[in-house]
């Protein structure tokens, strides 16, 4: 049985490292690879070392597309995961979300505002 995983933020460093690890796992099927500014690029343009997936095209980070997976890794800039995480959970409450950003690390909204600014996206259990 294969575990299907999507990666949002696939063109960045953290996303690339996650994809590299997932591509080598025998029980994982790499699903949607999304990016914001690099939509339409092949993954190989950003991570040529991941040869097995180099021809995969980066797609928009649409919550409905990402929610159609067993797990979603959010490798997005700080402050960008909160809204997309809420939309993925609404579309598929059983999907596992792994957020590599800071969006759900800080429990105190005052701390969030001091470090990142903007509205606090809430907290998750680690």
């Amino acid at each position: 049985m294969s575990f299907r995983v999507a990666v949002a933020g696939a063109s960045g460093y953290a996303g690339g490292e996650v994809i590299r690890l997932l591509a080598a796992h025998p029980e994982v099927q790499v699903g949607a690879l999304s990016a914001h500014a690099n939509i339409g690029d092949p993954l190989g343009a950003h991570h040529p070392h991941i040869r097995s997936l180099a021809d995969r095209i980066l797609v928009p980070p649409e919550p409905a597309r990402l929610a159609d997976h067993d797990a979603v890794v959010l490798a997005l800039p700080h402050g960008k995961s909160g809204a997309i995480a809420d939309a993925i959970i609404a579309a598929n409450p059983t999907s596992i979300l792994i957020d590599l950003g800071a969006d759900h690390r800080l429990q105190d909204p005052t701390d969030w505002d001091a470090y990142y600014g903007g509205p606090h996206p809430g907290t998750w259990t680690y």
Side-chain angles (χ1 to χ4, degrees):
M1 182 161 99
S2 178
F3 196 75
R4 196 160 169 252
V5 181
V7 179
S11 61
Y13 177 77
E17 284 300 294
V18 168
I19 295 165
R20 180 182 62 79
L21 294 169
L22 293 172
H25 196 291
E27 300 283 328
V28 169
Q29 176 190 3
V30 177
L33 300 176
S34 75
H36 181 71
N38 299 305
I39 295 168
D41 288 357
L43 181 67
H46 303 278
H47 303 293
H49 60 286
I50 309 175
R51 292 183 185 139
S52 64
L53 299 171
D55 292 337
R56 294 280 297 277
I57 301 300
L58 300 174
V59 299
E62 298 164 344
R65 181 190 311 252
L66 298 172
D68 188 29
H69 292 76
D70 299 306
V72 179
V73 177
L74 301 174
L76 302 170
H78 304 311
K80 302 297 182 191
S81 295
I84 198 167
D86 289 344
I88 291 168
I89 291 169
N92 182 0
T94 63
S95 185
I96 296 168
L97 293 180
I98 301 166
D99 186 7
L100 302 181
D103 286 29
H104 299 96
R105 280 187 209 151
L106 300 176
Q107 295 181 2
D108 185 344
T110 305
D111 289 341
W112 174 266
D113 190 46
Y115 291 105
Y116 301 107
H120 183 248
T123 57
W124 288 353
T125 304
Y126 275 87

